[in-house]
Amino acid sequence: MDQYSRIAPPDEWLMNITGDVLDLPLKNKILEYNKGYQIKVLRYFAMLKLQWKKDNPNRSFPGLCAEVDSVTGIMRSIEEQRAWSWGDARGLGLWCYFIIKGTIPDQIQKISLPDETVVEVNLKEFYNDYVDLIYKSLVDRYEKCDGHLPHLVDIDTNEASDDPRNLHPGKNEITSSHNFAINAFFQYGFLRNNEKAISLGWKILDESFHAAHENRYVDHLRHERSYAHSHLGMTCVGAVVDCLKTIEILENQGNTKYSGMKDDLISRTRWTVDLFCQYHWNAEKKEFSEYLHPITKLPYINNRGHVVCDPGHAAEGAGFFAELSQYMPIDDKTNFKVKRNNIIPTLEGVVDFVDRVGYADTGVMCKHIDMLTGKQIADIEKDSKQYITAPWWNLRETAAAAIKLYQLTGNEQMWKIYKRAFNATYNNYPNEAIGGLMLQTLDAETMQPLPFPPATGNLDPMHSPRAREREIEALLSFK
């Protein structure tokens, strides 16, 4: 059995939701499971950093320390290790949100390291220090690199790596590292009352939205401009939603300093709402297209003759816009066509579509569907072989979107979709070798783990925990 043979999750990480309705006992059971899982993940990322520092006492890692194979759990050699701006920004944004919200317990935890050393740390204090380090690293990197955040960074210089996997955008082009920094800088600004971080958040937010609107986004897989892509605009909206929720948390804590930002944040999202709901989503055919022709706004046929749908991105966007809808104006006098009073049926349609077309016969959700044929298509080619992949995050985003829509509408179909995505996640992806985090990529046809990541090579601190926290927030509203 080689190192990439499938690893079954331990019994303690298996959970199946079987209830036809969400009653109080089931709600509490899911909440307890989800909250415990959040701490499990936080403990694992703390362990990685503690072990790295013990192994490298005279060095500093300038960002998220998570250069680990998601199947074997083995840390890469120091010569292979890189910092990934994408992962750094995602970790910084989410962990600041968790600190503000109180998700991270202010208590001593015993953490076992791989060398069997046991370290006692206060988890909240640990992450308070960690976010300071990541923020300083990102700002230093941003200033050294002329307003860019390189995809891959050498750990000794904190500058762009010559690693062949790195991206090399033009002066006016951006990558996902840039737009994930929106939430990173805003959240750190909220946490530390740091005006420089807030200012950087606004700057990068506007640059990212403009780049999305003007097709100046460089895709991390193809290393080229990705025209009329749904991903960049809607992930910017995700950052805005996270900021709006944090401002609301601060208001509930008696801090109204950032309340005046809300209208400006919401106003920047509105064009993406119309684009997602009226162009990427075809209401007549009930189909979602990942790419649009930049001029006609019709579904884009790529050079392989496919109209690509990414079910995970469709679900992710639907979840973001469902959360955004609660902040959209009730008395909307704008000329936008999609408004608070008509957006929800569209989002339900998108999530229902994802549930209908996204799953492979093996029970996991694949990365790409061809809308012209309805068939799953390969999204990665390695060593002259094509793979239909099933990354972990698309199920997590589907679950988060479905439970939010169930909260807003009571539509029982959304509950069924949530159950399916939840169960498919925890029966297939948790990996004991990485502390219960998710295997990054499965082969959708064989269910074997694949030895290449769908995005960044380090472990992702955000997707699964953020989706899980959104589930927790939606579940708490049910009485």
Side-chain angles (χ1 to χ4, degrees):
M1 184 176 290
D2 66 37
Q3 65 174 336
Y4 292 108
S5 294
R6 191 159 188 286
I7 301 172
D11 290 344
E12 65 174 295
W13 299 335
L14 287 173
M15 181 175 174
N16 277 301
I17 302 174
T18 57
D20 292 331
V21 295
L22 180 62
D23 57 19
L24 185 59
L26 180 56
K27 182 194 87 166
N28 290 337
K29 181 181 179 182
I30 301 171
L31 280 172
E32 181 182 10
Y33 179 81
N34 276 340
K35 289 178 179 180
Y37 223 106
Q38 296 295 61
I39 306 306
K40 187 195 307 287
V41 172
L42 289 165
R43 285 171 55 86
Y44 182 74
F45 277 106
M47 180 279 293
L48 289 179
K49 182 166 175 56
L50 290 166
Q51 183 66 58
W52 192 92
K53 189 62 181 174
K54 187 177 181 183
D55 293 340
N56 303 275
N58 300 317
R59 304 182 75 165
S60 176
F61 198 99
L64 171 72
C65 182
E67 278 282 76
V68 175
D69 185 295
S70 83
V71 181
T72 66
I74 297 173
M75 182 80 74
R76 297 183 178 93
S77 70
I78 194 70
E79 294 77 19
E80 295 176 288
Q81 289 178 29
R82 305 286 183 268
W84 301 72
S85 295
W86 184 336
D88 293 348
R90 283 153 78 128
L92 178 58
L94 184 73
W95 291 339
C96 287
Y97 178 67
F98 278 3
I99 295 169
I100 293 167
K101 186 181 178 185
T103 297
I104 305 176
D106 186 8
Q107 59 185 227
I108 299 294
Q109 303 254 335
K110 292 183 177 180
I111 297 178
S112 298
L113 305 187
D115 65 4
E116 299 184 356
T117 304
V118 176
V119 182
E120 292 189 349
V121 296
N122 180 298
L123 210 55
K124 182 178 179 181
E125 291 178 4
F126 176 89
Y127 278 97
N128 259 307
D129 292 340
Y130 208 167
V131 297
D132 285 344
L133 181 150
I134 296 176
Y135 172 72
K136 290 173 184 176
S137 296
L138 281 173
V139 171
D140 174 67
R141 192 180 305 167
Y142 180 83
E143 292 174 349
K144 284 180 174 178
C145 300
D146 195 27
H148 279 279
L149 288 168
H151 190 59
L152 271 165
V153 175
D154 284 330
I155 62 175
D156 289 323
T157 66
N158 200 29
E159 295 184 55
S161 174
D162 61 3
D163 190 302
R165 296 170 297 173
N166 215 350
L167 299 175
H168 302 283
K171 183 177 181 180
N172 294 318
E173 295 176 329
I174 70 162
T175 70
S176 288
S177 297
H178 205 75
N179 69 302
F180 283 121
I182 300 167
N183 193 45
F185 288 133
F186 272 130
Q187 297 290 353
Y188 188 82
F190 296 147
L191 176 66
R192 297 286 187 250
N193 191 25
N194 186 311
E195 292 302 325
K196 178 177 181 178
I198 297 289
S199 178
L200 280 171
W202 281 118
K203 181 176 184 292
I204 292 175
L205 174 69
D206 286 334
E207 288 173 351
S208 296
F209 268 130
H210 283 302
H213 195 265
E214 297 163 12
N215 295 306
R216 292 188 280 106
Y217 170 61
V218 176
D219 183 86
H220 63 280
L221 292 176
R222 295 186 296 158
H223 288 221
E224 60 186 26
R225 281 200 188 191
S226 186
Y227 291 100
H229 192 185
S230 70
H231 182 256
L232 179 59
M234 66 93 169
T235 52
C236 292
V237 172
V240 168
V241 166
D242 288 343
C243 290
L244 291 169
K245 292 197 295 185
T246 300
I247 293 170
E248 198 170 64
I249 291 166
L250 292 171
E251 289 172 340
N252 291 334
Q253 296 172 353
N255 180 355
T256 59
K257 177 175 181 178
Y258 302 106
S259 299
M261 291 173 54
K262 290 190 287 189
D263 287 345
D264 286 340
L265 286 167
I266 295 165
S267 68
R268 283 165 166 78
T269 67
R270 296 301 302 281
W271 69 272
T272 63
V273 178
D274 273 16
L275 185 69
F276 184 92
C277 294
Q278 291 207 300
Y279 293 95
H280 286 285
W281 173 246
N282 185 318
E284 182 179 345
K285 293 183 176 180
K286 299 191 183 306
E287 292 179 353
F288 186 90
S289 299
E290 177 82 346
Y291 303 93
L292 302 175
H293 189 283
I295 297 174
T296 66
K297 296 293 190 291
L298 294 173
Y300 178 73
I301 302 176
N302 66 19
N303 57 9
R304 292 187 175 183
H306 302 308
V307 171
V308 173
C309 167
D310 184 320
H313 283 166
E316 186 178 11
F320 292 153
F321 290 120
E323 296 210 48
L324 179 70
S325 70
Q326 296 181 286
Y327 297 96
M328 293 167 69
I330 296 173
D331 185 21
D332 193 337
K333 304 298 185 183
T334 68
N335 292 325
F336 293 107
K337 294 180 180 179
V338 181
K339 302 184 179 184
R340 180 169 178 159
N341 64 0
N342 65 5
I343 189 173
I344 296 301
T346 294
L347 302 179
E348 288 180 303
V350 173
V351 173
D352 186 69
F353 161 78
V354 165
D355 179 72
R356 179 164 40 87
V357 307
Y359 285 90
D361 291 341
T362 50
V364 290
M365 189 176 287
C366 65
K367 174 71 173 160
H368 281 170
I369 303 288
D370 179 14
M371 288 295 88
L372 295 178
T373 64
K375 295 181 179 179
Q376 299 149 18
I377 50 176
D379 56 286
I380 287 182
E381 182 173 333
K382 292 286 184 180
D383 300 324
S384 300
K385 183 177 179 180
Q386 294 188 343
Y387 295 88
I388 299 173
T389 74
W392 89 101
W393 59 266
N394 48 20
L395 289 169
R396 305 299 303 116
E397 294 296 339
T398 302
I403 197 65
K404 183 64 182 180
L405 287 165
Y406 183 56
Q407 173 207 336
L408 294 176
T409 68
N411 182 345
E412 292 183 0
Q413 178 64 10
M414 295 299 109
W415 171 245
K416 293 177 183 177
I417 292 170
Y418 171 71
K419 287 193 298 181
R420 186 184 187 188
F422 184 100
N423 293 341
T425 297
Y426 292 106
N427 281 278
N428 294 294
Y429 288 90
N431 182 5
E432 187 171 21
I434 51 173
L437 274 73
M438 306 295 168
L439 293 162
Q440 289 184 318
T441 319
L442 295 179
D443 186 314
E445 297 175 296
T446 68
M447 294 294 284
Q448 292 298 304
L450 295 173
F452 34 81
T456 59
N458 62 353
L459 296 181
D460 186 349
M462 183 201 75
H463 249 305
S464 188
R466 182 184 62 178
R468 193 177 293 114
E469 197 69 16
R470 288 161 60 200
E471 291 176 58
I472 290 169
E473 290 163 354
L475 287 164
L476 285 170
S477 70
F478 292 96
K479 305 301 180 185

